[in-house]
């Protein structure tokens, strides 16, 4: 049941939504009548019309809005499709951009934009509260543009000169003007629209004449009694009077200083002195109105202003000085004896005598002045400041920085005490060299070109002077003098050391102030840990366990506080091999030679074996058991060069001896002559023995015994037996 009701409700709502009226705004038009550019004062109508399409049974409600320069200035809800906005009359402030917006339910549309330009401003009206005023009285002036709208700027003119301007959101404004002139004045005004400056200024308003009355009753009077010309010491009364008794102020002034102020007439009296001469002004003031009058008072001096003098003009401590106060009589009403004097120090009386004598000291320093008095008139002298000068003390001459032989250096001459200015003079051997005058914070610093040796520094002194009787001379200059190092020498110059030993390098200089810094280099490279500072003219560096890589050029450098480094000539150091290395090399050489000899021996043995066979065939051969006188005896010659043996001693078969075995001889006639040695001779081809042709001959030759003796003087014997 409930579900059925809910379904019916939803169906009814759906039908209602489906049958809702449709609305659309087709067009919105904005028109201006009579035109977009009119003269101020014209009746102007803005007409907004909307074209709307809808399905309603009656016209819908239109919400119209007029916008001026983007701001809503007029709204209206109406069922009609047209609405009007009227400007009657139109003014310059109505100029600008206009639009019209129409809204129906949730639909809205804006019209086209129209620009209005309204020219011409209204002529304002000028009024004053009263056209007759007194000097200094305020005027209330009103400027009005009755039909103008918007924010206006009003300008007020006095005798055609702008004197004030004010901005107002209304078309009428009142201001207050103060009349500062004694003549009649003419006032008028004009205005402009602030938001439309292009419209310019309006025409000038009507002119109002204001009559200004002179306040003669405010003019004061001034008088001097007994006279405007008096003598110092007389009593003079100065009277200021005015007719007006109303609220005002009166002043008596001289040289911009107010002497008296009162609310009505008054009298000012004083005992005059010479400096009271001058112009006196009596002045009245009421509101903004001021009146004044002036008169001159002349005062004749009785005596001149005293003068305080001191002699001598400058004084040193311990010297006497004299102060004298004096003045001259001017008027015949007094004599010189009528003038009394008082001497003051720092404002305190110290003497009634015009002459004062004292010894200069720190206690007597101060500001001195004096008074001169006669007939009640006293005059004060200009002050004199006494500050006794302090004699200069003995100066001290000291070096500024290092003193190095052969180089410029500076010295300072300074006295601890002494009044400036002080003149300092540098002397060498009691002869002036240079001077300086110290008159402030500067110091007397001199530059000395150089000294040739340390003892020359004692020849410099200086003097300080600040008065004719005060000249002080310093002691001789004392300062440590630095002698630059001379060219160092490195020992040894030329040497060879054995590898593994220590090399001692000694570097020395002939001249140079201690301490001296020595540094050693190897092939221009700094040796490690070789820099040393010593209080001596020589230094040493040890190269431990020197190696072959450390041979080469060594040099050293020397320097001291003169900051000048000098370098020695290089020393070339050679490094020889160690003894055990030499012995090892010797043994290796011997072994190498032995190896070479062995190789050569083996080589020659192999190469000489075929030649010996060939030589053996060339020997002279005889049959076994030859007989004496046998023609078969032969001389056998061997080549000496082919019989060289390994030990280098040649085995020469210089002579050939045929020996025969006595037991096998067939002749008993054989003697020693048959065994004589035969000298080698050049082989003769004609005498060569023919080689055997058969086996029997070869056998005989193979069994031939050969005995060879060495040449005369030889000791070696080579015996060869062919088996």
């Amino acid at each position: 049941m409930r579900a059925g009701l809910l379904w019916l409700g939803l169906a009814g709502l759906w039908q209602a939504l489906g049958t809702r009226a449709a609305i659309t705004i087709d067009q919105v038009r904005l028109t201006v009548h009579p035109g977009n550019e009119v003269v101020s004062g014209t009746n102007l109508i803005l007409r907004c019309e909307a074209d709307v399409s809808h399905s309603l049974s009656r016209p819908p409600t239109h919400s119209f809005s007029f916008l001026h320069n983007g701001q809503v200035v007029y709204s209206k809800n109406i069922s009609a499709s047209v609405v009007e906005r009227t400007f009657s009359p139109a003014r310059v402030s109505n100029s600008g951009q206009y639009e019209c917006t129409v809204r129906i339910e949730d639909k809205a549309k804006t019209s086209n934009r129209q620009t209005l330009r309204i020219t011409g401003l209204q002529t304002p009206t000028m009024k004053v509260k009263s056209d007759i005023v007194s000097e200094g009285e305020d005027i209330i002036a009103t400027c009005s543009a009755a039909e103008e709208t918007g924010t206006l700027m009003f300008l007020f003119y006095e005798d055609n000169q702008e004197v004030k301007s004010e901005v107002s959101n209304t078309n009428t404004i009142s201001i207050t003007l103060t009349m500062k002139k004694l003549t009649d004045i003419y006032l008028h005004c004009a205005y402009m629209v602030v938001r439309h400056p292009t419209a310019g200024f309006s025409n000038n308003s009507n002119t109002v004449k204001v009559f200004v009355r002179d306040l003669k009753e405010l003019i004061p009077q001034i008088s001097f009694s007994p006279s405007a010309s008096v003598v110092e010491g007389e009593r003079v009364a100065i009277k200021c009077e005015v007719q007006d008794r109303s609220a005002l102020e009166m002043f008596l002034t001289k040289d911009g200083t107010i002497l008296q102020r009162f609310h009505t007439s008054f009298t000012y009296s004083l005992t005059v002195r010479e400096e009271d001469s001058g112009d006196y002004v009596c002045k009245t003031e009421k509101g903004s109105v001021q009146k004044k009058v002036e008169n001159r008072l002349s005062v004749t001096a009785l005596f001149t202003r005293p003068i305080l003098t001191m002699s001598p003009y400058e004084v040193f401590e311990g010297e006497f000085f004299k102060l004298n106060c004096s003045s001259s009589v001017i008027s015949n009403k007094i004599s010189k004896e009528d003038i009394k004097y008082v001497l003051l120090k720092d404002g305190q009386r110290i003497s009634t005598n015009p002459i004062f004598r004292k010894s200069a000291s720190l206690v007597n320093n101060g500001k001195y002045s004096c008074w001169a008095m006669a007939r009640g008139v006293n005059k004060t002298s200009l002050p004199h400041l006494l500050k006794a000068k302090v004699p200069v003390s003995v100066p001290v001459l000291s070096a500024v920085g290092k003193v190095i032989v052969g180089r410029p250096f500076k010295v300072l001459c300074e006295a601890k005490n002494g009044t400036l200015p002080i003149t300092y003079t540098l002397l060498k051997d009691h002869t002036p060299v240079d001077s300086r005058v110290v008159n402030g914070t500067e110091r007397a610093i001199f530059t000395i070109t150089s000294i040739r040796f340390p003892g020359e520094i004692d020849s410099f002194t200086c003097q300080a002077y600040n008065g004719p009787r005060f000249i002080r001379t310093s002691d001789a200059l004392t300062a440590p003098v630095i002698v630059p190092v001379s060219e160092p020498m490195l020992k040894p110059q030329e040497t060879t050391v054995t590898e593994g030993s220590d090399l001692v390098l000694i570097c020395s200089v002939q001249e140079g102030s201690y301490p001296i810094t020595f540094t050693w280099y190897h092939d221009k490279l700094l040796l490690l840990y070789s820099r040393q500072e010593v209080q001596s003219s020589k230094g040493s560096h040890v190269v431990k366990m020197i190696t072959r890589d450390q041979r080469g050029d060594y040099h050293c450098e020397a320097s001291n506080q003169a900051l000048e480094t000098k370098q020695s000539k290089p020393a070339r150091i050679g490094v020889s091999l160690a003894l055990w290395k030499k012995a090892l090399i010797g043994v290796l050489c011997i072994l190498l030679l032995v190896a070479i000899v062995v190789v050569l021996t083996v080589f020659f043995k192999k190469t000489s074996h075929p030649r010996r066979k060939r030589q053996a065939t060339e020997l002279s051969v005889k049959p076994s058991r030859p007989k004496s006188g046998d023609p078969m005896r032969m001389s056998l010659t061997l080549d000496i060069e082919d019989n060289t043996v390994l030990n280098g001693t040649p085995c020469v078969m210089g002579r050939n001896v045929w020996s025969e075995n006595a037991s096998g001889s067939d002749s008993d006639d054989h003697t020693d002559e048959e065994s004589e040695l035969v000298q080698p001779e050049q082989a003769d081809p004609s005498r060569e023995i023919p080689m055997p042709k058969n086996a029997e001959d070869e056998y005989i030759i193979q069994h031939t015994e050969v005995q060879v003796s060495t040449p005369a003087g030889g000791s070696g014997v080579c015996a060869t037996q062919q088996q």
Side-chain angles (χ1 to χ4, degrees):
M1 183 66 179
R2 290 181 181 178
L5 292 175
L6 179 60
W7 173 254
L8 291 175
L10 291 174
L13 180 60
W14 178 260
Q15 185 177 3
L17 290 174
T19 59
R20 183 177 180 180
I23 299 175
T24 180
I25 303 174
D26 300 323
Q27 186 179 7
V28 179
R29 293 183 302 279
L30 179 64
T31 56
V32 182
H33 302 281
N36 291 70
E37 186 170 345
V38 296
V39 179
S40 177
T42 304
N43 291 329
L44 189 68
I45 299 174
L46 295 179
R47 180 185 177 87
C48 184
E49 184 176 0
D51 293 337
V52 180
S53 298
H54 61 88
S55 61
L56 299 175
S57 59
R58 56 187 179 85
T61 300
H62 302 75
S63 295
F64 289 93
S65 296
F66 287 88
L67 289 84
H68 180 207
N69 295 330
Q71 301 293 326
V72 177
V73 294
Y74 180 75
S75 297
K76 187 174 184 180
N77 295 330
I78 189 173
S79 60
S81 60
V82 178
V83 69
E84 293 181 348
R85 167 71 168 155
T86 303
F87 298 102
S88 181
R91 296 299 178 187
V92 170
S93 59
N94 300 133
S95 300
Q97 304 280 339
Y98 284 88
E99 293 175 316
C100 175
T101 299
V102 176
R103 182 180 296 276
I104 302 174
E105 294 184 1
D106 59 345
K107 302 293 181 69
K109 197 173 187 66
T110 302
S111 70
N112 55 309
R113 181 176 296 177
Q114 295 285 353
T115 301
L116 297 185
R117 186 173 183 271
I118 302 171
T119 59
L121 294 173
Q122 180 186 358
T123 300
T125 302
M126 179 72 178
K127 293 180 181 180
V128 293
K129 185 176 182 180
S130 175
D131 58 355
I132 301 176
V133 296
S134 298
E135 180 188 5
E137 187 177 350
D138 293 339
I139 298 175
I140 298 176
T142 301
C143 188
S144 175
E147 297 180 354
E148 199 64 69
T149 59
T151 302
L152 308 179
M153 175 182 282
F154 291 92
L155 298 98
F156 293 84
Y157 297 86
E158 180 181 319
D159 295 334
N160 293 323
Q161 297 292 325
E162 183 182 339
V163 292
K164 201 167 188 179
S165 63
E166 293 284 346
V167 176
S168 175
N169 292 324
T170 63
N171 53 22
T172 301
I173 190 170
S174 297
I175 63 168
T176 299
L177 299 175
T178 301
M179 295 298 98
K180 298 180 181 179
K181 298 180 180 179
L182 294 177
T183 59
D184 298 338
I185 61 173
Y186 296 87
L187 302 176
H188 72 270
C189 67
Y191 72 93
M192 66 173 292
V193 181
V194 175
R195 293 188 177 182
H196 300 279
T198 56
F201 290 92
S202 69
N203 295 326
N204 291 336
S205 69
N206 58 304
T207 300
V208 176
K209 182 179 180 180
V210 178
F211 299 92
V212 181
R213 293 186 299 108
D214 186 7
L215 297 177
K216 295 182 179 180
E217 62 273 15
L218 290 179
I219 300 175
Q221 300 294 324
I222 186 171
S223 61
F224 300 102
S225 179
S227 172
S229 297
V230 293
V231 179
E232 278 186 320
E234 293 186 11
R235 194 74 180 174
V236 176
I238 304 174
K239 190 173 184 179
C240 284
E241 295 180 287
V242 66
Q243 293 179 4
D244 192 344
R245 301 295 179 178
S246 62
L248 52 77
E249 285 186 299
M250 292 191 71
F251 302 91
L252 177 65
T253 64
K254 179 181 181 292
D255 299 331
T257 301
I258 297 177
L259 303 177
Q260 184 75 31
R261 174 182 173 272
F262 210 65
H263 294 290
T264 185
S265 301
F266 64 86
T267 299
Y268 176 77
S269 63
L270 73 161
T271 299
V272 294
R273 302 193 313 179
E274 182 183 9
E275 55 266 27
D276 291 326
S277 296
D279 293 327
Y280 288 80
V281 177
C282 191
K283 178 181 177 181
T284 59
E285 199 173 281
K286 185 176 183 180
S288 61
V289 180
Q290 293 183 350
K291 302 291 183 178
K292 67 178 180 179
V293 66
E294 66 179 47
N295 202 353
R296 185 171 184 79
L297 175 66
S298 178
V299 181
T300 302
L302 288 173
F303 55 90
T304 61
R305 185 177 184 176
I307 298 174
L308 181 64
T309 59
M310 187 184 82
S311 60
Y313 182 75
E314 291 183 343
V315 63
F316 283 86
E317 290 182 352
E319 295 181 337
F320 282 92
F321 67 95
K322 181 177 75 172
L323 295 174
N324 186 20
C325 187
S326 61
S327 180
S328 300
V329 175
I330 297 177
S331 176
N332 56 8
K333 293 185 178 182
I334 63 171
S335 64
K336 192 174 182 66
E337 289 73 18
D338 293 332
I339 303 176
K340 305 300 180 184
Y341 298 95
V342 174
L343 192 66
L344 302 97
K345 175 182 178 290
D346 297 329
Q348 302 295 323
R349 297 189 181 192
I350 58 172
S351 177
T352 57
N353 195 319
I355 298 176
F356 179 79
R357 289 183 176 86
K358 202 72 174 178
S359 175
S361 64
L362 182 63
V363 176
N364 292 327
N365 288 342
K367 185 184 292 185
Y368 289 83
S369 62
C370 70
W371 288 345
M373 297 175 291
R375 295 183 60 180
V377 177
N378 66 75
K379 298 182 180 182
T380 306
S381 69
L382 294 175
H384 180 84
L385 181 62
L386 172 62
K387 187 175 182 180
K389 298 182 71 174
V390 179
V392 68
S393 60
V394 176
V396 175
L397 184 62
S398 58
V400 179
K402 297 178 180 180
V403 179
I404 301 173
V405 172
R407 297 186 193 174
F409 62 94
K410 296 182 182 296
V411 293
L412 169 66
C413 186
E414 190 172 33
K416 185 176 181 180
N417 298 315
T419 301
L420 301 176
I422 300 175
T423 301
Y424 293 95
T425 303
L426 178 68
L427 302 96
K428 182 179 182 183
D429 295 329
H430 309 291
T431 301
V433 175
D434 198 2
S435 295
R436 296 280 190 280
V437 177
V438 175
N439 197 19
T441 58
E442 66 271 15
R443 307 173 79 188
I445 297 178
F446 302 93
T447 300
I448 297 176
T449 304
S450 66
I451 57 175
R452 295 168 296 173
F453 52 90
E456 191 177 354
I457 197 170
D458 299 335
S459 62
F460 293 95
T461 56
C462 77
Q463 288 181 344
Y465 163 85
N466 71 340
R469 294 177 302 279
F470 302 101
I471 300 177
R472 303 286 187 264
T473 304
S474 72
D475 294 333
L477 175 63
T478 58
V481 179
I482 300 172
V483 179
V485 295
S486 59
E487 181 180 340
M489 179 181 295
L490 179 64
K491 294 182 180 180
Q493 292 291 331
E494 290 282 346
T495 186
T496 301
V497 296
T498 303
E499 183 181 16
S501 61
D502 293 343
L503 173 63
V504 179
L505 299 172
I506 299 175
C507 191
S508 61
V509 295
Q510 295 295 326
E511 295 180 347
S513 298
Y514 304 153
I516 300 176
T517 300
F518 292 100
T519 310
W520 285 264
Y521 294 82
H522 172 227
D523 290 338
K524 299 182 180 181
L525 297 177
L526 177 66
L527 290 175
L528 192 62
Y529 308 119
S530 69
R531 189 183 303 275
Q532 60 179 245
E533 184 178 276
V534 297
Q535 297 287 338
S536 173
S537 61
K538 65 172 59 178
S540 63
H541 177 72
V542 179
V543 180
K544 295 287 187 179
M545 301 291 291
I546 194 167
T547 64
R548 296 275 293 172
D549 293 337
Q550 293 174 297
R551 65 183 182 274
D553 290 337
Y554 286 80
H555 75 270
C556 66
E557 290 181 351
S559 64
N560 60 2
Q561 294 179 354
L563 302 179
E564 180 180 356
T565 302
K566 292 187 178 179
Q567 180 177 317
S568 71
K569 294 179 180 179
R572 179 157 294 179
I573 305 299
V575 180
S576 63
L577 291 173
L579 292 177
W580 66 270
K581 288 186 178 180
K582 292 180 181 179
L584 179 59
I585 292 173
V587 171
L588 292 176
C589 288
I590 293 172
L591 292 177
L592 180 61
L593 290 175
V594 170
I596 292 172
V597 170
V598 171
V599 171
L600 291 176
T601 301
V602 174
F603 175 76
F604 281 116
K605 279 184 177 181
K606 289 182 178 182
T607 57
S608 62
H609 184 69
R611 294 184 62 186
R612 286 198 303 269
K613 287 184 177 182
R614 189 169 53 250
Q615 290 173 355
T617 60
E618 295 177 357
L619 293 177
S620 298
V621 182
K622 67 177 181 177
S624 298
R625 297 179 180 91
K627 292 183 179 180
S628 178
D630 191 340
M632 293 298 293
R633 290 186 63 188
M634 302 179 65
S635 175
L636 177 63
T637 301
L638 300 178
D639 188 356
I640 297 175
E641 294 179 357
D642 293 336
N643 291 278
T644 303
V645 291
L646 292 176
N647 59 4
T649 302
C651 182
V652 180
M653 193 173 291
R655 294 177 182 173
N656 299 325
V657 180
W658 292 97
S659 63
E660 57 183 30
N661 195 350
S663 58
S665 180
D666 295 333
S667 174
D668 295 331
D669 296 334
H670 180 71
T671 63
D672 292 337
E673 292 179 359
E674 295 176 353
S675 302
E676 63 180 350
L677 294 175
V678 182
Q679 294 293 334
E681 60 182 5
Q682 192 171 358
D684 188 354
S686 61
R687 298 178 61 184
E688 288 185 359
I689 301 174
M691 295 300 293
K693 301 298 184 180
N694 50 47
E696 183 179 358
D697 293 338
E698 185 178 357
Y699 177 78
I700 294 173
I701 292 174
Q702 290 178 352
H703 286 79
T704 302
E705 294 180 356
V706 180
Q707 185 176 357
V708 182
S709 299
T710 61
S715 59
V717 177
C718 293
T720 304
Q721 182 177 0
Q722 300 292 337
Q723 298 294 331

